[in-house]
Amino acid sequence: VTEVPFFDVELVGTPALAYLGQSSFANNPNFDNLIHDSEGEPKFVICGGKGGVGKTTTSSSLAVTMAAAGRNVALVSTDPAHSLGDAFDLDFRGGELVDVPLIGVPPSDGSLSVLEVDPSKSLGEFKGLIDNLIGSGGSSSSSSGTAGDLSNTLRELGEVFDTLPAGTDEVVALAKVVNLVKKGGFDRIVLDTAPTGHTLRMLSTPGFISELIDKVLAIAQKVNSNAMVKMMITRAANGEDLDEKAEAASRALRSFQFQMYDLEDLFANAEQTEFLIVTVPTELAVRESVRLLNDLTFEAPDMPIKVRNVVVNQVLKDDGSDVSTFLNRVAVGQQSSIRDLRDEVDRVGKSIEITEVPYLDTEPRGVFGLKVLSAELLKEDEIVAN
């Protein structure tokens, strides 16, 4: 467990992230295998944890530290609420690798590239391959016999894609990470993920997607071998010859399926991949981190991702000398955030009430805690109503 102290300034930009990494990770023996070990295959680090605990800052500072030590690092975000750009104060939009100048970092042979992947866009491209493979004319309702059965199957397949499990979009986006590993040139890949629930589901999704592709390809084979259904789909496509598009889509899906196999192997390789849990020292955050640790260690024995480190951010000094600074920082941040929220509500121009609930000195757990919280909400409502 690595305790990262509370800083009374926002750590933004490469020099600040390098300072954080040097003080917390560079000389930390728990991170030797990531920072100084140059042997073997590329190493893959998944940073995960509850929302708002500093995953992006941790993953970014670790990536800068590894680059400063001579590693060639790719830092990838699959979180829809991309924050890497905020951490580095750079624009990473566009879905392409961006080389980050290592300003304020001692000269080394290392490098850092950042990629913000759009999971929704990647999932849309994946669904587009399915459409090209089986066409979009499977919704005809009056077909009979084999054609009708296939039509129903296509409709059911469409419903499957409308209800894909959470984390699927991130896994589809991770196909680009597999390409990074295959292309070579990077010996460290750091993944900044969405909050815990999505991440856990993401780790078990590659197998599901590869099986789904098998089913899609089998259905496509039936469609393309049935003259009546094929004619229906071609008619729905206004006579366009879909054979070439279907063949290209089939090749792309097979390639994508192999990437899912590679991703499964990567997740399951304890020597190559590890999970870094990030948290803060609050009861709820720690409890969720413990659940995450148990899930990775005991609930998924067929997915032996190794957890070597837990990073605890915003730790105050034992002597309490920074408590006043911490509280002042929280108060200033709250005032600024509420002011921004009120300005945005005013800009929207609709009748939206903002209710401020005061800080409670205990976690509102159980019936009693929730009653205290509800009393504060009702009290605020009375104030607003008056």
Side-chain angles (χ1 to χ4, degrees):
V1 176
T2 297
E3 297 182 6
V4 177
F6 161 72
F7 290 91
D8 61 355
V9 294
E10 292 282 356
L11 298 175
V12 176
T14 305
L17 294 169
Y19 174 78
L20 173 60
Q22 287 296 318
S23 61
S24 300
F25 306 127
N27 300 312
N28 188 334
N30 297 326
F31 289 87
D32 275 349
N33 66 308
L34 292 176
I35 296 174
H36 303 295
D37 183 5
S38 59
E39 303 296 325
E41 298 179 296
K43 297 189 185 299
F44 188 61
V45 186
I46 305 171
C47 293
K50 183 179 171 64
V53 297
K55 293 188 299 295
T56 297
T57 300
T58 299
S59 60
S60 299
S61 62
L62 179 59
V64 171
T65 304
M66 291 190 291
R71 309 279 79 83
N72 294 315
V73 185
L75 173 60
V76 182
S77 170
T78 59
D79 187 348
H82 294 306
S83 301
L84 292 179
D86 296 331
F88 285 92
D89 197 21
L90 294 171
D91 187 356
F92 297 128
R93 290 173 298 180
E96 300 293 336
L97 274 171
V98 177
D99 294 332
V100 176
L102 295 176
I103 301 171
V105 177
S108 73
D109 295 330
S111 65
L112 173 62
S113 299
V114 174
L115 172 65
E116 285 189 339
V117 183
D118 185 344
S120 298
K121 180 180 177 183
S122 299
L123 184 59
E125 293 171 353
F126 177 67
K127 290 181 178 179
L129 290 177
I130 307 298
D131 289 340
N132 287 339
L133 187 64
I134 62 177
S136 57
S139 59
S140 301
S141 58
S142 58
S143 302
S144 60
T146 304
D149 292 340
L150 284 173
S151 179
N152 291 333
T153 302
L154 292 177
R155 277 200 301 273
E156 292 171 2
L157 185 64
E159 292 172 0
V160 168
F161 279 99
D162 289 335
T163 57
L164 288 171
T168 301
D169 51 352
E170 289 182 81
V171 170
V172 172
L174 279 179
K176 294 189 178 183
V177 176
V178 175
N179 287 334
L180 290 180
V181 175
K182 283 188 170 182
K183 286 180 181 177
F186 295 109
D187 48 17
R188 298 291 185 274
I189 296 175
V190 182
L191 182 63
D192 181 42
T193 69
T196 305
H198 272 256
T199 303
L200 281 175
R201 287 186 287 269
M202 176 189 74
L203 298 177
S204 60
T205 303
F208 167 81
I209 294 180
S210 60
E211 292 176 5
L212 182 61
I213 289 174
D214 274 334
K215 294 178 181 178
V216 169
L217 292 172
I219 291 173
Q221 179 65 33
K222 290 182 180 181
V223 168
N224 290 316
S225 63
N226 186 290
M228 182 180 297
V229 175
K230 193 170 181 180
M231 180 182 67
M232 289 162 46
I233 294 175
T234 302
R235 186 183 303 158
N238 296 321
E240 181 184 358
D241 186 357
L242 300 178
D243 286 346
E244 185 176 340
K245 289 175 67 176
E247 182 60 32
S250 178
R251 289 195 300 269
L253 273 179
R254 279 298 182 196
S255 174
F256 187 85
Q257 187 177 36
F258 289 138
Q259 290 174 335
M260 290 297 101
Y261 292 144
D262 290 339
L263 195 59
E264 273 192 300
D265 292 341
L266 185 64
F267 283 168
N269 187 339
E271 297 301 316
Q272 191 175 3
T273 302
E274 67 177 83
F275 199 104
L276 173 63
I277 296 177
V278 184
T279 189
V280 290
T282 66
E283 185 177 353
L284 290 179
V286 168
R287 194 184 307 154
E288 184 164 328
S289 298
V290 170
R291 280 199 300 267
L292 174 58
L293 177 61
N294 287 333
D295 287 341
L296 290 170
T297 305
F298 304 113
E299 298 298 324
D302 56 336
M303 185 77 66
I305 294 181
K306 185 176 277 301
V307 179
R308 292 189 175 91
N309 291 287
V310 177
V311 171
V312 186
N313 287 321
Q314 301 179 17
V315 178
L316 299 177
K317 296 177 182 177
D318 290 337
D319 61 8
S321 59
D322 54 356
V323 170
S324 177
T325 304
F326 174 77
L327 293 177
N328 288 335
R329 177 67 183 277
V330 170
V332 171
Q334 285 187 354
Q335 292 167 3
S336 174
S337 298
I338 292 174
R339 189 164 53 248
D340 291 343
L341 179 60
R342 290 190 181 281
D343 289 343
E344 188 63 23
V345 168
D346 291 341
R347 187 187 67 80
V348 171
K350 295 187 177 181
S351 180
I352 301 174
E353 296 290 349
I354 296 176
T355 299
E356 297 181 19
V357 178
Y359 171 77
L360 302 177
D361 60 358
T362 58
E363 298 277 4
R365 292 190 298 137
V367 175
F368 176 76
L370 295 175
K371 283 182 68 177
V372 171
L373 181 60
S374 66
E376 292 294 339
L377 283 168
L378 292 174
K379 184 192 303 181
E380 186 71 19
D381 283 343
E382 291 173 2
I383 294 173
V384 172
N386 292 332

